[in-house]
């Protein structure tokens, strides 16, 4: 939901159960304006809310001039101050996918993941540690447990993990990873963005220099188009389009069809599209990420999306349709 | 420019125009409503005999309790939920319309359950004494919109559908009787897809449906008549599944500040009533989960709020005083109940007005089922307090002073920590011991038989399971 | 205020003391959508509120495809139903200008204006009545009083106007005109539109065929421009521009500068321009019509205007600056 | 592309950035506020001597009454006025900031007066007993923002301004003494242009200023120090004019449902207090203008709420107990008051809590000064009722149940039915009877005189008025 259109679009998502109270609206308008000014973003969007057990997280994103590349994600609980979410490494991403359960609502909460160290892994991990500077930060949080040395520094943590510590007696090496909720949240936003980020076809443009921008000529979809899933695209680096055949590509307008269509997603049926009662707004909902809703008012430039859920991917979607 | 994807049914403009008109129509003044009602009735009676009896003065609008949804919306907004004030106003008009057209004592906005094709806006209604039951049948014939009262008809139609997936009909050995105008069927629910659409009455719910609903997890489609294709099979259409989920949500998530209701200690059958001497709780008190209580009784394992203990007879007693048609299943002779299923074991009815803090937690010790939150950070003298239920994501209650509101907005599913696994198919039943079947003789055996044709090798080969599997 | 941007822009005018309650917002959203659909307008705006003594009037306008020409004005008190305001003849306009005092809030209220019939007038009026079909409706409401005949049809009205009936004894012929509040309101909207109708420069375009439309490429004024009165134009058929010299015209971009600049208005100083505290919205206020406020968010396509007053032109502006 | 027009002063981006920061700063938590205050004080005292005394624990925020502006905004929204809920929340924080930083007993949002360059957001404050007076002087020196307490200084500076338009100083013959912490000066007003800006305290108002303000009509500029160029001359700067208009509006338009306040019948000096036994009025009752009463006394002709009758002495008594400097005008010897000006004639103080229905109407019989309106058309059980004042367009009050709110949003001018005509210039004074002046003899007369030079034609021509007019 674009900051500039913020209070208006808030009214769009009311019927889906997302509201902000006057305090939040007032705080957010001021703090996001400040964020935009401080980082000189070309566009700031309010991304949504991830509900945690004790408190909720509010997420915003700022974009540099190339909208598909320079994107930063911010989190706030008070809506007054925004903190940038960390980058997520591939290893962290995989580990986060294994985490289940509600978000706690505390960014510094640490999840402990115990993984079996494969016989071939340790040397590889050490190599990585030496070679890859970017990952060093992350890897330093992990410790190999089960070895009978170098465990002194976190005596207090050991008690918690007492159950796991019994396992190494089997002589399997286990490694304990710690993931903060901050990282888990960052990974979640990335996952949802990957799977959703829905925009109406034509809203975004790519130029000859492969720079992506909002299409200032976009006049909205027609009523008929707006009710058709094939007119909505994933606003993310495309995966499907580059694999299309030349014949297929010849039918596309490459300035606007450089993005993947959501109706080509796998599994099929993971999107639901509806009009509101008066035909003024079409909503596109993800059934894979319940709580993700994109909307568009046909015949107008107004579109947006919001996530309002508890951060759980619907793994049961196959049974539920 | 491009084709593909599936078109929406809603897409034709005339439908919207009508919908828009319906929406504008909600803003009619009282006089206009009465005129319209009179016209409607005149049109109806016009086909009948005595037209003289219907005069405009006859049109009386039903009166009953309807909370101020705007005020509720404002409170819910503090909790970050609700529909926003403008939508709340439209909903208020829609509920008012419902209240005026049915003999209802009170109406409340239950919330919304999302469907894949359209959503359900849900109104929770209490009929006036003696009303509601007969009306439903009348309207069912009249308008054709109301889903039949009992699930058996729907099942019947399902059975008739040649395209239905044939599912094995596993009947529970003992049918637990349905609660009538009490417990899970105390309220009647009406639903519509959009504000201004006609309200449709949901059927009442059977214990069987509640038990079945617990075992499945399906997206709602928005079509009340849609089949619920699931395993185990669900005894009814989407209307019944919806009604069952509403019952589960309502009885798990409808809460109020402690003291707002009191129970009249009427020995066996305590009922709740508003407490005239209710002392408002301040924000600090409301932040304590023990100051929030359930005012709807918990649903027991057997899908009722009052425990039903079957008598140890083959034939259970039907509840005799109800006039309406009983479930057909009740009459089907049941196989002998051995062993007694869990849901027939004695189960204690939890006390009324139990604190939400005592609910079974999501994660023991660390994550209770509910969280209470102060809804205003900086000028908290006037703050609302909300309690959110984590088991039914989308359920929320909020209170300030003497006011409180409950709402549910979500997909209608209970939180599952682990991926949903459909119940395993029932174990393949023991093959009855084959009494007379013989294995087809092999060519060699036949040849041998023909060759020898003497009685010295009368023994047959043992019965082989393999052949069964290959059928 | 554009219907499409309705709830959002409502938030823009809150700081100026204009709000609508949930009932009005809900009713208006539905009824204006219906109005737009029924009349097939290309654009519907909420124009503002004229406060009356007993009730207020809410005004909306619908535009055909040529925005400067086909414009219709609607009035509503309930915000549920909209009635089109009548066309105002020149004679009515002049008479309405003579009316003072608050609007009553009753559209059918009749103002009685007694004018002296100039010796040369009656024949002229009769000629008009015969020749001009459009005016016949209006003129039929007027009666010449003081003539001793043809007064029978409105016996009940005579009592009210008894004071005026005594005057004719002086042998001056007086004519009694009746103006309904509906006509007065229509004349008011026309007057305010003539004097205001402020849009940022570049928001409207004129094409080679002299058709005026909204500029879909308009990206908003810069912050500096938005604080400068000379970047705001009157969205009405231009009066000043056609009189400019060729030299002056050569400096203009005639596709967008076909409208009159508001800073060239007479009297000078009848406009006030301000930024809000955070520099996100510039507001342009008419001091001639207190209650008229146009706003624009620099760097965005968002602009609009609203009138929220009691329908009184500030005749005292000369003394008040 | 194009130049011309006048640039805004606000235009530099750093100013906005600061303003935005101020706005964000309002959302500080209590701890942050205390830290900031401590830092501020430390910085201040840092220049002084004893730094040790200032510790963070010392920072105590003032506590006082502050209504919930969101709730008020919601009510006012029903009446179509107020600032909207988001802006109301920002205002609430700004008022809270004011309340915490000054020894105030209560703060209320008075409203907003538009200016041509910037607007005034106005807070109506009641200082705690014994506070306020001395503070003002202290702060005037400290911050330089506070406008001086009495108008005379401002006038002095005006007189010093060489560019000021020379206006004839017509002094009222008798100065009516100013009310101190009562009547029109019961409340102290603070103003700022934008939410988050520093609040500036307005001076108290003199009767002379109120009387002068009635005779003029000027747009406010938004600059408190701007001169008010008017005829008749206004004794003060825009700050004083603003304060005078606020007083006029406050005392004409601040109303409440009947019974909310009661007057303690303390013979001569009745004061109002909240009625603990207030019975809420329903919407129907509130629609009766007689159920709305003024709870601020009316301002009399002489610019006070309590009548001041001058004693028939040359020298009026100065109010002796006030320490602060008195108006200089009070000491100017006045010409003999003949005849007594209207404002010194006895005038009856109207009773407290007078119904607004008794206010002088706009048009007799047909148009009372106020109109009461039901604010919700369709679901009116929960409706607010608003009363709007037509004499001060922009003034509105709204009530529901036990709650009510008042607000003024406008240009700060009273409704005039006819075009404003500035007061005529004072009549040109009688030319003193010319004692010795003679008409210049005409050439003919001179010639005649010279010709005749005899005393037979000693009569002069009568003095001619025409010559006067031509001057």
């Amino acid at each position: 939901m674009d900051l500039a259109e913020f209070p208006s679009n808030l009214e769009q998502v009311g019927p889906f159960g997302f509201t902000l109270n006057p305090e939040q609206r007032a705080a957010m308008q001021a703090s996001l304006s400040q964020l935009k000014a401080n980082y000189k973003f070309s566009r700031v969007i309010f991304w949504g809310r991830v509900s945690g057990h004790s408190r909720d997280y509010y997420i915003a994103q700022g974009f540099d001039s190339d909208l598909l590349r320079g994107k930063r994600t911010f989190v706030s609980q008070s809506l007054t101050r925004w903190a940038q979410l960390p980058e997520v490494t591939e290893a962290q991403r995989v580990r986060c996918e294994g985490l289940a359960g509600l978000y706690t609502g505390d960014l510094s909460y640490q999840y402990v993941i115990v993984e079996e160290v494969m016989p071939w892994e340790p040397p590889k991990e050490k190599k990585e540690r030496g070679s890859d500077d970017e990952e060093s930060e992350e890897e330093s949080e992990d410790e190999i447990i089960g070895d009978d040395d170098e465990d002194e520094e976190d005596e207090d943590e050991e008690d918690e993990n007492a159950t796991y510590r019994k396992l190494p007696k089997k002589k399997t090496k286990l490694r304990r990873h710690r993931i903060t909720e901050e990282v888990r949240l960052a990974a979640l936003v990335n996952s949802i963005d990957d799977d959703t980020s829905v925009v109406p076809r034509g809203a975004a443009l790519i130029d000859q220099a492969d720079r992506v921008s909002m299409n200032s000529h976009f006049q909205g979809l027609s009523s008929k188009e707006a009710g058709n899933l094939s007119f909505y695209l994933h606003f993310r680096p495309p995966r499907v389009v580059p694999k299309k055949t030349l014949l297929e590509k010849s039918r596309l307008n490459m300035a606007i069809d450089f993005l993947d269509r959501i109706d080509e997603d796998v599994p099929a049926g993971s999107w639901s599209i509806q009009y509101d009662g008066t035909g003024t707004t079409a909503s596109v909902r993800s059934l894979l990420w319940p709580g993700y809703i994109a909307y568009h008012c046909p015949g107008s430039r107004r579109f947006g999306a919001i996530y309002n859920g508890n951060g759980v991917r619907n793994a049961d979607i196959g049974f539920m349709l | 420019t491009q084709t593909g994807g599936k078109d929406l049914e809603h897409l034709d403009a005339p439908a919207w125009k009508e919908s828009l008109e319906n929406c504008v129509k909600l803003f009619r003044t009282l006089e206009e409503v009465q005129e319209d009602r009179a016209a409607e009735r005149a049109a109806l009676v016009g086909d009948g005999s005595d037209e003289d009896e219907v005069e405009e003065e006859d049109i009386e609008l039903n009166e009953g309790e309807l909370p101020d949804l705007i005020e509720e919306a404002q409170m819910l907004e503090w909790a970050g939920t609700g529909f926003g004030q403008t939508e709340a106003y439209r909903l208020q008009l829609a509920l008012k319309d419902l209240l005026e057209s049915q003999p209802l004592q009170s109406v409340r906005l239950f919330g919304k359950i999302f469907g894949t094709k359209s959503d359900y806006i849900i109104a929770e209604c209490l009929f006036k004494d003696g009303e509601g039951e007969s009306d439903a049948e009348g309207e069912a014939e009249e308008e054709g919109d109301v889903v039949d009262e009992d699930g058996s008809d729907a099942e019947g139609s399902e059975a008739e559908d040649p395209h239905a997936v044939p599912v094995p009909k596993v009947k529970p050995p003992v049918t637990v009787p349905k609660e009538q105008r009490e417990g899970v069927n105390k309220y009647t629910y009406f639903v519509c897809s959009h504000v201004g659409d006609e309200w449709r009455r949901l059927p009442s719910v059977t214990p069987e449906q509640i038990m079945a609903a617990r075992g499945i997890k399906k997206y709602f489609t928005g079509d009340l008549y849609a089949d619920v294709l699931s395993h185990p099979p669900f005894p009814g259409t989407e209307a019944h599944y919806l009604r069952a989920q509403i019952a589960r949500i309502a009885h798990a998530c409808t809460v109020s500040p402690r003291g707002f209701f009191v129970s009249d200690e009427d020995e066996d059958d305590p009922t709740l009533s508003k407490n005239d001497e209710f002392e408002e709780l301040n924000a600090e008190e409301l932040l304590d989960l023990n100051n929030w209580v359930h005012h709807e009784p918990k649903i027991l394992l057997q899908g009722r709020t009052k425990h039903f203990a079957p008598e140890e007879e083959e034939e259970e007693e039907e509840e005799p005083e109800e006039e309406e048609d009983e479930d057909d299943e009740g009459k089907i002779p049941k196989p002998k109940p051995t062993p007694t299923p869990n849901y027939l074991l004695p189960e204690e009815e939890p006390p009324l007005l139990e604190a939400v803090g005592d609910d079974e937690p999501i994660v023991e010790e660390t994550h209770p089922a509910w969280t209470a939150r102060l809804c205003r950070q900086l000028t908290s003298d006037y703050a609302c307090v909300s309690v959110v239920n984590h088991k039914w994501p989308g359920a929320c209650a909020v209170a300030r002073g003497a006011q409180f509101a409950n709402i549910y907005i979500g997909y209608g599913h209970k939180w599952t920590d682990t991926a949903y696994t459909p119940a395993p198919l029932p174990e393949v039943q023991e093959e009855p011991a084959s009494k007379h079947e013989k294995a087809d003789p092999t060519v060699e055996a036949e040849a041998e038989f023909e060759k020898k044709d003497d009685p010295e090798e009368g023994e047959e080969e043992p019965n082989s399971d393999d052949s069964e599997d290959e059928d």
Side-chain angles (χ1 to χ4, degrees), chain A residues 60-294:
Chain A
Q61 288 180 330
F63 294 87
D64 292 342
S65 51
D66 188 330
L67 298 174
L68 265 198
R69 292 185 190 100
K71 176 172 81 174
R72 299 196 213 193
T73 303
F74 297 84
V75 64
S76 179
Q77 293 190 305
S78 66
L79 291 177
T80 314
R81 260 180 227 88
W82 295 87
Q84 196 174 344
L85 282 178
E87 294 288 314
V88 181
T89 63
E90 180 60 19
Q92 284 174 326
R93 191 189 65 75
V94 172
R95 278 174 206 132
C96 286
E97 280 189 358
L99 293 174
L102 276 179
Y103 286 71
T104 64
D106 172 10
L107 277 183
S108 59
Y109 180 86
Q110 293 203 331
Y111 296 88
V112 177
I113 299 169
V114 179
E115 284 174 3
E116 201 174 319
V117 180
M118 295 298 154
W120 58 86
E121 260 191 85
K124 188 186 161 211
E125 195 247 334
K126 268 166 198 158
K127 220 173 69 192
E128 259 183 19
R129 196 180 278 200
S131 67
D132 198 340
D133 286 345
E134 283 180 25
E135 295 223 349
S136 61
E137 250 182 290
E138 178 230 344
E139 296 295 335
S140 66
E141 283 178 17
D142 306 337
E143 307 127 39
I144 294 178
I145 52 179
D147 290 0
D148 46 354
D149 47 18
E150 76 197 86
D151 257 357
E152 299 89 90
E153 74 275 22
D154 49 2
E155 294 267 321
D156 50 337
E157 301 258 0
E158 290 177 7
D159 295 357
E160 286 178 26
N161 301 297
T163 49
Y164 300 117
R165 298 216 65 220
K166 283 169 194 157
L167 292 169
K169 287 174 185 164
K170 291 174 186 167
K171 290 296 168 203
T172 321
K173 282 194 180 177
L174 291 183
R175 200 194 297 151
R176 188 169 62 202
H177 297 279
R178 300 213 197 118
I179 296 273
T180 59
E181 187 151 295
E182 194 178 16
V183 170
R184 187 184 173 203
L185 189 65
L188 173 74
V189 174
N190 288 350
S191 296
I192 295 180
D193 273 353
D194 262 8
D195 288 340
T196 61
S197 302
V198 174
V199 294
R201 177 174 177 269
L205 270 187
I206 193 162
D207 63 13
Q208 298 296 330
D210 271 5
R211 278 166 43 97
V212 175
S213 59
M214 283 299 152
N215 179 1
S216 63
H217 300 217
F218 180 58
Q219 294 299 312
L221 299 177
S222 71
S223 283
K224 201 170 169 71
E225 291 167 346
N228 187 322
L229 277 180
S230 66
F231 282 88
Y232 293 90
L233 309 174
H234 285 292
F235 192 69
R236 65 173 186 210
R239 294 174 206 153
V240 181
V241 169
K243 291 180 194 148
K244 291 208 168 181
T245 63
L246 279 177
L247 181 65
E248 286 170 325
K249 280 186 185 174
S250 69
R251 294 200 200 106
L252 304 177
N253 172 354
M254 287 313 290
I256 57 176
D257 289 327
F258 62 101
L259 299 170
D260 295 336
R261 272 165 50 180
I262 65 169
D263 64 328
E264 293 171 342
D265 280 2
V266 179
S270 61
W271 293 97
S272 145
I273 188 163
Q274 292 182 28
Y275 263 105
D276 70 339
T278 54
T280 49
T281 309
S283 63
V284 175
R285 313 173 190 186
S286 172
L287 301 177
L288 189 63
W289 289 104
Y292 179 84
I293 288 173

Side-chain angles (χ1 to χ4, degrees), chain B residues 61-80:
Chain B
L61 301 176
N62 178 58
E63 285 181 14
E65 271 178 63
L66 175 63
D68 184 4
L69 289 194
I70 307 276
E71 198 127 349
E72 286 195 359
Q74 284 165 351
M75 285 208 293
L76 291 167
E77 210 175 71
W78 282 108

Side-chain angles (χ1 to χ4, degrees), chain A residues 22-31 33-34 37-38 40 80-81:
Chain A
E23 177 177 75
Q24 293 171 326
R25 290 199 298 263
M28 191 137 113
Q29 271 175 24
S31 63
S33 297
Q34 209 182 25
N38 289 350
K40 302 199 182 354
T80 314
R81 260 180 227 88

Side-chain angles (χ1 to χ4, degrees), chain B residues 14-275:
Chain B
W16 286 336
K17 210 168 167 187
E18 195 190 318
S19 194
L20 195 54
E21 263 162 34
N22 284 339
C23 192
V24 173
K25 219 172 166 187
L26 285 176
F27 293 88
R28 290 175 299 183
T29 61
L30 186 64
E31 294 74 39
E32 290 166 333
V33 171
Q34 283 176 326
E35 276 171 35
D36 286 3
R37 286 271 151 74
E40 276 168 33
R41 194 180 291 190
L44 270 177
V45 182
D47 310 330
S49 52
D50 40 11
E51 293 176 28
D52 305 288
E53 281 184 29
V54 180
E55 288 171 22
E56 290 203 9
E57 293 82 56
D58 281 340
I59 309 303
E60 270 191 22
L61 301 176
N62 178 58
E63 285 181 14
E65 271 178 63
L66 175 63
D68 184 4
L69 289 194
I70 307 276
E71 198 127 349
E72 286 195 359
Q74 284 165 351
M75 285 208 293
L76 291 167
E77 210 175 71
W78 282 108
T81 184
F83 299 108
Q85 296 175 29
T86 319
E87 182 75 359
Y89 191 82
R90 284 189 283 259
L91 287 166
Q92 171 112 44
L93 293 183
L95 289 190
K96 184 164 164 269
D97 211 49
L98 175 63
L99 178 67
E100 286 171 354
S101 59
Q102 299 271 353
L104 299 176
Q105 180 185 324
S106 67
V107 177
R108 176 178 86 85
L109 180 67
F110 175 85
K112 194 185 225 176
I113 289 185
F114 299 124
T116 55
K117 293 200 192 94
S118 66
D119 302 335
Y120 294 112
I121 297 168
I122 302 159
E124 184 178 273
C125 306
L126 206 54
F127 272 103
K128 288 181 173 164
D129 276 346
E131 303 274 5
E133 295 297 339
S134 53
D135 265 23
E137 287 166 302
E139 285 186 18
E141 285 159 22
E142 215 173 270
E143 306 182 10
D145 276 326
V146 177
V147 177
D148 298 309
E149 264 293 299
D150 57 339
S152 57
D153 279 15
E155 261 178 82
S157 64
E158 187 184 304
E160 285 159 29
D161 180 1
H163 304 296
V165 177
V167 283
K169 296 220 169 192
V170 184
K171 292 283 171 206
V174 175
T175 297
V176 179
K178 188 160 94 168
E179 288 175 301
Q180 302 288 354
R181 307 295 296 266
E182 59 170 12
V184 294
N185 287 322
K186 177 177 168 194
Y187 298 102
T188 308
Y189 294 87
F190 286 81
V191 298
C192 66
S193 296
H194 298 121
V195 171
D197 290 358
E198 202 170 358
W199 289 99
R200 300 180 187 197
R201 180 172 169 174
L202 291 185
S204 57
V205 65
T206 65
E208 188 193 8
Q209 285 160 349
I210 287 180
M211 286 186 281
R214 285 182 182 135
I216 65 174
K217 187 178 175 190
K218 296 287 290 181
Y219 272 123
F220 290 94
T221 65
D223 173 10
L224 288 177
Y225 299 100
D227 292 331
V228 181
L229 303 179
S230 66
H231 175 81
F234 181 79
T237 61
E238 181 161 311
H240 302 92
Y241 180 39
L242 178 65
R243 183 62 185 78
Q245 292 297 88
I246 291 174
R248 294 177 66 201
I249 295 168
H251 287 263
C253 303
T254 315
V255 299
S256 52
R258 181 181 291 283
F260 191 89
F261 291 102
V262 283
S263 63
D264 319 332
E265 272 310 339
D266 176 11
E267 297 107 45
D268 289 335
D269 186 26
T271 53
L272 296 185
S273 59
K274 269 191 196 170
N275 182 359

